[in-house]
């Protein structure tokens, strides 16, 4: 169970309404949710994160039955609508007739924006790495869980390919090697608490949006193509950045126990990228060719949100500011 660490510092009417509703309070008045930027709004994404979290874990103070409460689902849908609409406007691309692995590769190669991994490898301080791990903890502590919702929604070779990837993500039969467990050790090595949800209320909307993107795709069967595209792009873009994150930590003097999470991904994701692009996405589209728009959409959303997130973090750090919400503490840039 997630403990009281997930008692969010609320950021506005939406997160307040979500927290009240999840804890058995009255439903907010129905109505269209309107925020300036649905891809990164702090209030919207904390609210959506809270509504999604109960599909993964029990949360202290929230009745398990809230997961399928019509009021919660109704409010969640109001939050999802502007998010998905904005994602489609920003990231939907027309597929071509080429094989899906070729299309995905081109999408990745055309990606713009600064490289967070190069930045951290070269100038990342211990404090920046701690913040980076806090941002990433929202997914990596439940690594692979969102995509597992896709398993019953796939068939034949696509299902087998998804399971092959997920088997590795879950440690290949050894719980100590689950990627989430490796990430816990990395967090502990940098004196962070690996309790799930511990840092959720310090994360900006742009970070929570990346997690909410996965949950949106995971929890709607109609978006199974986007879920597969997301996983394919995720695996295809993992090796080099993870090598750099490991290099950055080694530069700061951390040992193999701390870097293992990243080192493991350099190895594993070389294989996962090919399986995800060819066997998973390719087989899904042989089975359901009309999903090509969604596969490309899912990949494009991942790449687009990652680019925005990297730009946000680097901009904050370059100004000597913390990338976290709330405390506004400034970073000791010169350290390390
Ligand atoms: Fe992994
Ligand atoms: Fe992987």
């Amino acid at each position: 169970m997630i403990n009281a660490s997930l008692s969010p510092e609320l950021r506005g009417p939406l997160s307040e309404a979500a927290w009240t509703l999840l804890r058995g309070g009255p439903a907010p008045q129905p109505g269209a949710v309107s925020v300036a930027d649905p891809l990164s709004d702090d209030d919207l994404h904390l609210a959506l994160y809270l509504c999604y979290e109960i599909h993964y874990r029990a949360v202290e103070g929230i009745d398990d039955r809230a997961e399928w409460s019509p009021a919660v689902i109704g409010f969640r849908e109001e939050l999802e609508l502007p998010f998905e609409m904005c994602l489609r406007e920003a990231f939907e691309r027309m597929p071509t007739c080429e094989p899906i692995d070729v299309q995905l590769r081109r999408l990745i190669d055309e990606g713009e924006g600064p490289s967070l991994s190069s930045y951290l490898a070269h100038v990342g301080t211990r404090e920046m790495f701690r913040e980076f791990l806090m941002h990433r903890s929202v997914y990596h502590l439940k690594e692979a869980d969102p995509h597992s919702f896709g398993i019953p929604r796939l068939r034949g070779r696509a299902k087998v390919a998804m399971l092959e990837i997920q088997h590795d993500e879950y440690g290949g039969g050894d719980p100590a090697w689950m990627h989430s467990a490796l990430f816990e050790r990395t967090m502990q090595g940098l004196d962070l608490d690996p309790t799930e949800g511990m840092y959720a209320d310090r994360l900006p909307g742009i970070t929570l949006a990346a997690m909410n993107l996965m949950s949106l795709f995971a929890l709607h069967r109609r978006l199974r193509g986007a879920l597969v595209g997301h996983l394919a792009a995720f695996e295809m873009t993992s090796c080099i950045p993870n090598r750099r994150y490991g290099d950055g930590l080694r530069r700061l003097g951390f040992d193999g126990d701390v870097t293992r999470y990243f080192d493991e991904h350099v190895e594993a994701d070389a294989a996962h990228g090919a399986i995800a692009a060819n066997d998973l996405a390719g087989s899904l589209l042989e089975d359901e060719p009309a999903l090509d728009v969604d596969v490309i959409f899912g990949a494009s959303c991942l790449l687009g949100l990652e680019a925005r997130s990297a730009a946000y973090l680097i901009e904050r750090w370059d100004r000597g500011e913390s990338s976290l919400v709330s405390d506004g503490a400034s970073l000791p840039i010169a350290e390390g």
Side-chain angles (χ1 to χ4, degrees):
M1 173 177 285
I2 291 180
N3 62 24
S5 61
L6 188 75
S7 50
E9 202 173 283
L10 302 166
R11 297 180 192 163
L14 299 174
S15 48
E16 221 169 281
W19 191 237
T20 302
L21 180 59
L22 287 165
R23 291 159 69 89
Q29 285 293 326
V33 167
S34 169
V35 296
D37 182 3
L39 296 184
S40 65
D41 185 83
D42 285 340
D43 189 29
L44 170 72
H45 282 290
L46 182 58
L48 202 45
Y49 171 79
L50 294 170
C51 291
Y52 283 143
E53 194 59 24
I54 55 173
H55 290 279
Y56 298 101
R57 306 285 186 266
V59 179
E60 198 174 292
I62 298 179
D63 190 314
D64 280 348
R65 280 170 292 193
E67 184 183 4
W68 294 107
S69 147
V72 172
I73 301 290
F75 183 54
R76 196 187 83 190
E77 194 177 19
E78 287 175 18
L79 301 169
E80 287 172 330
L81 273 170
F83 182 39
E84 185 178 348
M85 197 180 297
C86 202
L87 287 167
R88 291 202 179 272
E89 274 170 23
F91 302 123
E92 216 163 40
R93 303 278 178 276
M94 278 307 290
T96 67
C97 297
E98 296 163 296
I100 192 64
D101 59 319
V102 174
Q103 294 189 60
L104 290 169
R105 177 48 59 195
R106 181 172 323 106
L107 204 58
I108 291 165
D109 291 344
E110 286 172 356
E112 292 168 359
S115 165
L116 184 62
S117 60
S118 295
Y119 186 95
L120 282 170
H122 294 116
V123 298
T125 63
R126 183 178 190 278
E127 226 16 73
M128 288 176 195
F129 265 103
R130 290 183 85 246
E131 289 198 0
F132 168 68
L133 296 180
M134 287 187 226
H135 287 281
R136 293 297 167 103
S137 68
V138 75
Y139 170 59
H140 292 323
L141 291 175
K142 57 166 67 63
E143 185 154 327
D145 287 351
H147 298 104
S148 293
F149 279 101
I151 294 168
R153 296 165 181 173
L154 301 172
R155 291 186 297 196
R157 274 183 53 201
K159 185 187 289 249
V160 169
M162 171 77 91
L163 278 164
E164 194 177 343
I165 294 168
Q166 299 302 79
H167 181 66
D168 288 346
E169 301 293 337
Y170 291 126
D174 183 348
W177 281 86
M178 288 173 74
H179 291 182
S180 54
L182 299 181
F183 193 75
E184 281 183 27
R185 295 217 287 280
T186 301
M187 289 185 78
Q188 284 162 339
L190 275 88
D191 301 319
L192 291 168
D193 185 339
T195 305
E196 276 193 73
M198 176 58 72
Y199 302 109
D201 63 357
R202 299 181 65 191
L203 301 177
I206 201 161
T207 297
L208 295 175
M211 182 66 220
N212 290 337
L213 178 74
M214 281 184 259
S215 300
L216 173 73
F217 294 161
L219 294 169
H220 294 273
R221 190 181 59 80
R222 71 182 166 86
L223 295 172
R224 64 198 176 284
L227 184 72
V228 163
H230 181 284
L231 180 59
F234 195 97
E235 298 292 347
M236 290 170 82
T237 53
S238 166
C239 287
I240 295 171
N242 277 304
R243 187 190 304 280
R244 291 181 186 143
Y245 295 132
D247 287 346
L249 287 167
R250 277 183 282 277
R251 176 175 55 74
L252 294 172
F254 291 101
D255 64 11
D257 205 45
V258 171
T259 64
R260 188 161 297 117
Y261 172 85
F262 300 106
D263 301 339
E264 175 66 9
H265 282 84
V266 176
E267 293 278 312
D269 288 346
H272 290 174
I275 296 168
N278 301 312
D279 302 327
L280 174 58
S283 304
L284 174 69
L285 294 183
E286 272 173 31
D287 209 24
E288 300 189 84
L291 293 184
D292 59 350
V293 181
D294 280 348
V295 171
I296 295 292
F297 172 57
S300 176
C301 287
L302 167 80
L303 299 168
L305 289 191
E306 288 265 308
R308 287 172 65 123
S309 170
Y312 173 87
L313 265 64
I314 291 172
E315 195 190 314
R316 288 300 187 100
W317 290 338
D318 273 346
R319 290 206 303 253
E321 292 172 11
S322 166
S323 63
L324 303 171
V325 172
S326 77
D327 61 10
S330 100
L331 279 173
I333 290 285
E335 187 200 338

